[in-house]
Amino acid sequence: MPLAQTATTVPVVVDNALCITNKGCTVCVDVCPLDVLRIVETDDGTKTAYMKYDECWYCMPCEANCPTNAVIVNLTYLLK
Ligand code: SF4
Ligand code: SF4
């Protein structure tokens, strides 16, 4: 599975300001059937979810189940 290069090149983007994984949330990581999302510690010591592997089924549970709407799945043109 290819490693994601940067957060802006992958289809699933997490708004770090909205992500509450510092409070223990790992919902998006837990619900992804492909297991491509991870939690990472950022430079300022806070944590956030992000897409580690650039694979996606566009099945949407990560976005649908995030309690703060921090996850955005950018559907490809052909899937819209
Ligand atoms: S479900 Fe939302 S709040 Fe929870 S870890 Fe994922 S992005 Fe962060
Ligand atoms: S849309 Fe589906 S496959 Fe893609 S990151 Fe979210 S849960 Fe995982």
Side-chain angles (χ1 to χ4, degrees):
M1 200 180 296
L3 269 174
Q5 298 300 313
T6 68
T8 53
T9 65
V10 294
V12 176
V13 178
V14 174
D15 184 334
N16 298 357
L18 294 177
C19 178
I20 56 168
T21 196
N22 281 314
K23 296 180 178 175
C25 182
T26 58
V27 169
C28 58
V29 175
D30 296 339
V31 297
C32 177
L34 284 182
D35 195 26
V36 295
L37 304 178
R38 292 290 185 279
I39 305 297
V40 68
E41 193 163 319
T42 58
D43 292 340
D44 64 3
T46 59
K47 293 179 183 173
T48 188
Y50 78 112
M51 185 171 227
K52 180 171 184 179
Y53 299 103
D54 192 0
E55 287 279 339
C56 193
W57 284 345
Y58 302 98
C59 52
M60 305 304 282
C62 56
E63 182 179 299
N65 290 286
C66 175
T68 61
N69 296 319
V71 181
I72 303 294
V73 179
N74 293 302
L75 295 177
T76 65
Y77 175 74
L78 291 174
L79 290 170
K80 284 182 181 174

